[in-house]
Amino acid sequence: MLSENKLKILKQISDNFSRDESIWASGYLAGLAGSSFAAVQPSLAIDNTDQVAVKKITLAYGTETGNSKKLATGLAGIIKKKGIQVKLADLSQYKPKDLAKEEFFFVIISTQGEGDPPVLAKKFYDYIYENEINLSNLKFGVLALGDSSYPLFCKTGEDVDYRFEILGAQRIIPLKKCDVDYEQDATHWIEHVFETVNKTSENTTKNISAPKVSKGRKKYQGTVSTIINLNDITSDKETYHIEIETEEALVYSPGAALGIVPINSRSVVDEIIELTGIDPEKEIETARVTASVQELLSQHLNISYLLKTVVAQYALITGHSIPEVRLGLLDLLRIYPVKNADEFEQIITVLTGQSPRLYSISSSLEAHGDTEIHITVAKSEFLIDDQKQNGLCSGFLSEFAEGESIEFYIQEAGHFRLPEQDKDIIMIGPGTGIAPFRSFLWERDAIGAEGRNWLFFGDRNFVSDFLYQSELQDFLKTGGLTHLDLAFSRDTDEKIYVQHKLEQKAQEVFYWLEGGASIYVCGTKEPMSRDVEETLLNIIQSQGKRSKEDAISYLEEMELNGRYAKDVY
């Protein structure tokens, strides 16, 4: 028989229970009655003596079947009764940009199929993996739901937990992985959340906060071992195959990208310093880093192609009347000089940080080993005021010599990855869009994947611009490539692109789609990816005898199921 106090507590807890929660609670209590009381039991009782310093946490859920939502709702009720305000958030509606504003953020998320995130949480998942967010003020914990009968048990929860840490967030409770019978583990987890949040808050109040776990992204040191221009000397393009060797073992998946922060030209930096008369050794504090002028201009600040807003700030500081243009800092200084070094110091503080550049990895761990990584880089050229300019990072990379050192990091692409080994894939990648598909082909060849591989590749000329020609032809001979369709736009009177090759093979493409094939598109966003998507919709509409609306739904369903993925830029 319960004491009056315990009965009161039980009534308080169960007052707001739904029918399903009541059924679960009764089964849970029955289970406790039949088990050994020596076992650790979750404490659901409200301890009104707890000194709750934290007033608010966010409890977010990502769900496919509704289990995560149901569990999060029940656990939110428990924690509210502890005196903490809980904001319940559905990841399908949550704005990832708000993460930086959160203090305590806890996630309950399930894993579907072969390690995939719930469809409704995919946008959130992709966002945190595709963007560099500063989460250094965030404290978090993850409860992962899964089914241990699947090989990638709780993979999505592991991914979210890992990515939060990479982005600088502080993990205050370890990742908890739950199997299909998750109720008791989940209850222990929410109790742990309460205790840890309380303790963290008390420590903060006493200014004895635990050290932040903020490793940032993993940096690798490598040496350029090979650099080859893949284009023939008759081409007006330069596309470099670059191989980098490391002493440390690499970890990445096909479809991942290699990130590099480029260094500005030494001659440009020297001329800027000479024009302004500023002391290159002077330390200046910017929004992101404090360093010498020389280091800031070389490594940390964008000086090559300033945003219009930065040019406008430059005009405001210097008093010049400058039209709405985008120019490099050196050109600005030549045309609209600063009065003195002090004025230029103000300019330095409004410059934006140097952004990393991402390049699809074109190698495979299985085929090339874990101390070697490849990228494929097109040297970018464009005109500013009729003057030819090189892309900062592509120019930076193309000028490397074998034996030189380079620092980089790896960014996984959660949405752009290979399906199961027995599934067919269609890859559409003109130009440097071939990069991740080279990785796909080498990977599938090395592991003996049974799925068929179909590549659509295109560029300007067959003779001068057929990137990785011998490799692709070898894959075709050995069966690593089932089909290879080529489109060289300058070799015919009428320009032929990859979407035209798709149209020519419409019947077979649709047959592959109906058989479960996945489609991948990599390359320029405009107009290539738009034209390819329009062609795919036409194929689905004509070959599948569907309306335009049904064709759109068909392709959207493929995307939601991870069978249609784009890596475009």
Side-chain angles (χ1 to χ4, degrees):
M1 191 68 174
L2 292 177
S3 66
E4 184 177 342
N5 187 45
K6 287 183 179 178
L7 187 61
K8 181 180 177 182
I9 291 170
L10 182 61
K11 189 173 185 304
Q12 284 178 307
I13 294 171
S14 59
D15 272 348
N16 296 320
F17 275 9
S18 66
R19 179 177 178 275
D20 288 340
E21 288 168 341
S22 297
I23 292 171
W24 176 85
S26 64
Y28 174 72
L29 292 172
L32 285 182
S35 63
S36 167
F37 281 94
V40 178
Q41 299 180 33
S43 171
L44 296 181
I46 305 166
D47 185 354
N48 290 321
T49 64
D50 287 326
Q51 299 299 312
V52 180
V54 174
K55 296 299 181 185
K56 185 176 182 180
I57 68 170
T58 297
L59 185 60
Y61 61 86
T63 188
E64 182 94 8
T65 62
N67 285 339
S68 294
K69 178 179 180 180
K70 180 179 173 183
L71 182 59
T73 303
L75 296 181
I78 292 173
I79 208 75
K80 282 178 183 177
K81 292 180 183 294
K82 297 282 190 178
I84 294 178
Q85 183 183 350
V86 180
K87 179 176 77 174
L88 202 57
D90 184 342
L91 290 180
S92 67
Q93 305 295 324
Y94 186 82
K95 295 178 181 177
K97 291 181 180 178
D98 291 342
L99 277 171
K101 305 172 188 175
E102 302 276 7
E103 183 180 5
F104 291 95
F105 192 82
F106 299 95
V107 181
I108 300 175
I109 192 164
S110 59
T111 296
Q112 310 306 315
E114 299 302 317
D116 300 318
V119 171
L120 295 177
K122 190 173 183 300
K123 284 187 178 179
F124 175 87
Y125 179 94
D126 289 346
Y127 186 92
I128 64 173
Y129 266 89
E130 294 170 1
N131 294 274
E132 296 300 323
I133 321 162
N134 181 3
L135 299 185
S136 56
N137 294 321
L138 185 74
K139 302 173 183 67
F140 78 97
V142 177
L143 177 71
L145 301 186
D147 183 341
S148 59
S149 64
Y150 287 83
L152 297 176
F153 174 57
C154 291
K155 177 69 165 53
T156 300
E158 290 177 342
D159 289 348
V160 172
D161 181 84
Y162 168 78
R163 186 61 181 162
F164 274 13
E165 182 182 32
I166 291 298
L167 292 173
Q170 179 185 349
R171 183 189 296 105
I172 60 172
I173 59 173
L175 169 70
K176 180 65 179 177
K177 296 193 283 189
C178 297
D179 211 337
V180 287
D181 297 322
Y182 53 76
E183 287 88 353
Q184 189 165 354
D185 283 339
T187 306
H188 280 302
W189 181 79
I190 202 66
E191 288 289 332
H192 194 182
V193 167
F194 171 73
E195 293 166 4
T196 307
V197 165
N198 234 12
K199 184 177 180 181
T200 303
S201 179
E202 287 169 6
N203 287 343
T204 302
T205 303
K206 296 174 186 177
N207 293 319
I208 315 175
S209 53
K212 289 184 179 179
V213 180
S214 180
K215 297 178 181 177
R217 52 193 174 216
K218 167 73 175 171
K219 296 285 182 66
Y220 292 96
Q221 301 297 324
T223 301
V224 175
S225 58
T226 302
I227 179 164
I228 302 169
N229 182 0
L230 297 172
N231 297 102
D232 186 75
I233 57 173
T234 60
S235 176
D236 57 358
K237 301 172 68 176
E238 293 178 38
T239 308
Y240 290 90
H241 170 78
I242 301 173
E243 298 182 4
I244 301 168
E245 292 184 354
T246 64
E247 292 186 3
E248 184 178 1
L250 299 161
V251 179
Y252 66 89
S253 306
L258 181 146
I260 294 173
V261 179
I263 294 175
N264 293 313
S265 165
R266 178 63 183 268
S267 62
V268 171
V269 171
D270 288 346
E271 190 170 348
I272 287 172
I273 290 171
E274 184 179 350
L275 276 175
T276 59
I278 197 166
D279 179 2
E281 300 304 318
K282 183 172 184 179
E283 294 268 321
I284 294 180
E285 181 180 352
T286 68
R288 297 173 68 173
V289 67
T290 299
S292 70
V293 170
Q294 180 82 45
E295 186 180 337
L296 287 170
L297 295 177
S298 297
Q299 301 178 33
H300 300 292
L301 299 176
N302 173 36
I303 64 172
S304 61
Y305 191 40
L306 306 186
L307 296 172
K308 290 179 181 178
T309 53
V310 175
V311 174
Q313 288 176 291
Y314 182 102
L316 191 63
I317 292 169
T318 61
H320 289 294
S321 178
I322 305 175
E324 193 177 87
V325 293
R326 294 192 67 178
L327 289 172
L329 181 60
L330 181 55
D331 289 329
L332 265 179
L333 288 165
R334 286 170 175 162
I335 304 168
Y336 308 100
V338 294
K339 297 180 185 68
N340 50 45
D342 289 340
E343 191 170 82
F344 182 62
E345 188 173 330
Q346 293 180 59
I347 301 296
I348 288 177
T349 62
V350 301
L351 295 175
T352 55
Q354 188 77 287
S355 300
R357 273 61 165 182
L358 294 172
Y359 295 92
S360 295
I361 296 169
S362 53
S363 54
S364 154
L365 280 177
E366 292 292 336
H368 300 101
D370 62 2
T371 57
E372 182 178 324
I373 193 165
H374 307 169
I375 54 175
T376 309
V377 180
K379 189 172 183 179
S380 174
E381 295 181 341
F382 51 92
L383 295 175
I384 298 180
D385 293 338
D386 297 324
Q387 290 191 345
K388 189 168 144 182
Q389 306 282 339
N390 290 325
L392 174 62
C393 198
S394 62
F396 166 73
L397 288 169
S398 67
E399 291 170 6
F400 265 85
E402 293 179 5
E404 286 192 77
S405 298
I406 188 169
E407 183 179 75
F408 63 93
Y409 66 95
I410 290 169
Q411 180 161 306
E412 292 288 348
H415 72 296
F416 204 82
R417 54 189 175 189
L418 283 168
E420 295 173 27
Q421 294 182 27
D422 62 344
K423 299 297 183 184
D424 299 333
I425 61 174
I426 298 173
M427 301 163 284
I428 305 163
T432 52
I434 186 68
F437 303 141
R438 180 178 185 263
S439 174
F440 281 13
L441 289 169
W442 276 109
E443 178 83 6
R444 293 195 118 192
D445 185 68
I447 63 177
E450 298 171 3
R452 296 176 298 171
N453 308 308
W454 188 351
L455 174 65
F456 289 84
F457 172 75
D459 213 310
R460 293 181 181 174
N461 301 102
F462 177 92
V463 172
S464 57
D465 304 314
F466 192 169
L467 309 184
Y468 298 113
Q469 178 180 352
S470 59
E471 284 187 9
L472 295 178
Q473 290 174 332
D474 285 344
F475 278 128
L476 198 58
K477 290 174 186 174
T478 59
L481 259 176
T482 311
H483 298 302
L484 175 61
D485 280 85
L486 303 170
F488 292 100
S489 60
R490 304 301 193 272
D491 284 347
T492 53
D493 293 335
E494 184 180 351
K495 291 181 180 178
I496 303 296
Y497 298 109
V498 285
Q499 65 267 22
H500 300 129
K501 291 295 182 177
L502 276 170
E503 285 175 342
Q504 292 172 12
K505 300 295 176 71
Q507 185 175 1
E508 191 171 0
V509 167
F510 186 70
Y511 179 76
W512 276 47
L513 297 187
E514 288 289 273
S518 296
I519 294 183
Y520 301 87
V521 182
C522 184
T524 56
K525 185 175 184 179
E526 295 291 344
M528 186 277 294
S529 71
R530 183 195 63 214
D531 292 341
V532 165
E533 184 161 303
E534 191 62 36
T535 301
L536 289 171
L537 288 171
N538 290 338
I539 289 172
I540 294 165
Q541 192 174 345
S542 62
Q543 298 298 317
K545 311 298 182 191
R546 287 171 166 81
S547 66
K548 185 175 182 179
E549 292 72 22
D550 288 343
I552 291 171
S553 297
Y554 186 103
L555 203 57
E556 286 178 346
E557 184 71 20
M558 284 187 64
E559 189 168 12
L560 286 173
N561 292 331
R563 289 181 50 219
Y564 176 43
K566 294 174 286 188
D567 182 6
V568 295
Y569 37 84

